[in-house]
Amino acid sequence: MEQKRTTALPPEAELERQMEFIQQIRKENEAYTAKTGRQKKFYSLAMGCQMNAHDSEKLEGMLDEMGYVRTDEETDADFIIYNTCCVRENAELKVYGKLGWLKHYKKENPDAVVALCGCMMQQDSVLQTIRQKYRHVDLVFGTFNLYKLPELMKTREESKSTVFDIWQEHQEVVEDLPSIRHFPYKASVNIMFGCNNFCSYCIVPYVRGRERSRNPEDILEEIKKLVADGVKEVMLLGQNVNSYGKTLENPITFAQFLRQVNEIEGLERIRFMTSHPKDMSDELIAAMKDCDKVCKNLHLPFQSGSSEILKKMNRHYTKEGYLELVRKVKEAMPDITLSTDIIVGFPGETEEDFLETLDVIRQVRYCTAFTFIYSKRTGTPAATMENQVPEDVVKERFGRMLDVLNPIVHEVTQEQVGKVLPVLVEECSKQDAGILTGRTEQNTLVHFAGDATLIGQIVPVKITENKTFYVIGERM
Ligand code: SAH
Ligand code: SF4
Ligand code: F3S
């Protein structure tokens, strides 16, 4: 059945309404436990980027309030929720693989409830496929209405048929949803939603809607609450944080906002992602430099080193412009490390274009890079461009790129060896409880011997060994 959109209630009333549904489900779950002696369990999987990971923290917070306990075993769950991604084809294939498996699971466990949400569900073609082929799914919603989970669960329970509720745009942001943080000492905070950039390869603007900033007061309030709850590090999230605040009633720049966050007492580290090079201002570079809590680590995707390809990608900067920006950033903060995103095999990419990409990698010297093979996304302008690059050519270039990139990553990491760096201790290693893992300000993963009482503290660690994608250290 199609769920009717709820009336446009003010956000506070909407929150209250959902909390009521949560309480109703909680009572039912308590009755179930009293009868059976067992608590209902949920399994939650977030695919894709940190936005989705953070959204899932809210979904999990609501399920927790409903009295479900988390399980890491899908085969043990009464409620299964996949928060899907569609940025590349393989992300979608993974979901369909899971749905095939779930068909069998539901046959054996007919009472289990399966929910799908997130970016992939914002596409009509996907909904059609689910309607036709995956009728065992119980609940489908998108990126704009995740706060409605409790209500949709109730609707499903009463209707006994699949509930679809997909919106095309944001309404008011519902603040203060319950949430479970994956780490007690670091937290993600949305500062904006959606994207207006329409890079020609990218599906995100179509599934996440138009750009929209949260009010600075609401965000500062949220961060203060997190700090009071023990959080030391925040990651400010948005598809293009550099354009934060432009459309607010009282406009503010991201740089000004960063300075306000830096004032929060008790907060120790600030990170943000993603920065679009076209909107990275001198004002922001100055703010990063001045703010002692801002980690000197910048994720600055360049996607391609060829100005020609960048134009076709609709990125609004050139290779030279990007390199000049990096020069200014490094000049202002000599210790900064940079990471990036790169796409290989965009339509029309020639060998020369690809060599320009390698040149940027060599010149900038990244501490890490997320590298992707171009994936055609139906509905985006690039999908219908001529000269799609043959698969074997793309694979060959991708391999060559890693051959250039990995030694550089190793060398950049090597620069940390011998230094004593502050590390925020995150957790015990899964393999060995005597080994702790944490991150430096540069976001390098560090393993070192120590006991669990250090978790949540920032401690000095001497870096002793370089393992390319992480380092080994000794506590000082
Ligand atoms: N808003 C962020 C990134 C969001 S998506 C930004 O602009 O940097 C994360 C990354 O996925 C992108 O940076 C890009 O490198 C990659 N990506 C997006 N669409 C893709 C596609 N169709 N094929 C391959 N990679 C893609
Ligand atoms: Fe996609 Fe470009 Fe928006 Fe990033 S900035 S989400 S790559 S359209
Ligand atoms: Fe993120 Fe994937 Fe959506 S990258 S915004 S979860 S399409």
Side-chain angles (χ1 to χ4, degrees), residues 45-62:
L45 177 67
M47 303 172 185
C49 65
Q50 297 203 22
M51 288 283 171
N52 260 18
H54 188 46
D55 283 351
S56 282
E57 292 185 335
K58 294 177 193 162
L59 296 168
E60 290 159 21
M62 290 190 271

Side-chain angles (χ1 to χ4, degrees), residues 253-268:
T253 64
F254 181 55
Q256 288 167 334
F257 179 64
L258 210 50
R259 289 181 191 271
Q260 294 181 4
V261 179
N262 198 60
E263 293 298 309
I264 295 178
E265 217 163 299
L267 181 65
E268 307 226 21

Side-chain angles (χ1 to χ4, degrees), residues 25 28-33 36-43 63-64 66-71 76-79 111-113 153 157:
I25 298 175
E28 289 165 13
N29 282 347
E30 281 167 1
Y32 174 88
T33 307
T36 61
R38 110 174 245 286
Q39 246 186 317
K40 284 201 177 178
K41 295 180 184 169
F42 76 84
Y43 174 84
L63 288 164
D64 178 72
M66 291 174 205
Y68 285 89
V69 285
R70 175 204 288 276
T71 170
D76 198 22
D78 304 275
F79 187 86
D111 291 335
V113 176
M153 285 170 76
E157 191 186 296

Side-chain angles (χ1 to χ4, degrees), residues 368-404:
T368 25
F370 299 94
T371 51
F372 306 109
I373 285 181
Y374 167 72
S375 171
K376 197 195 255 192
R377 303 285 68 207
T378 308
T380 64
T384 50
M385 283 182 188
E386 285 172 3
N387 302 324
Q388 302 276 332
V389 186
E391 205 180 309
D392 53 335
V393 177
V394 182
K395 284 206 168 130
E396 189 268 340
R397 284 182 192 160
F398 193 76
R400 265 156 70 208
M401 175 175 67
L402 294 185
D403 290 344
V404 171

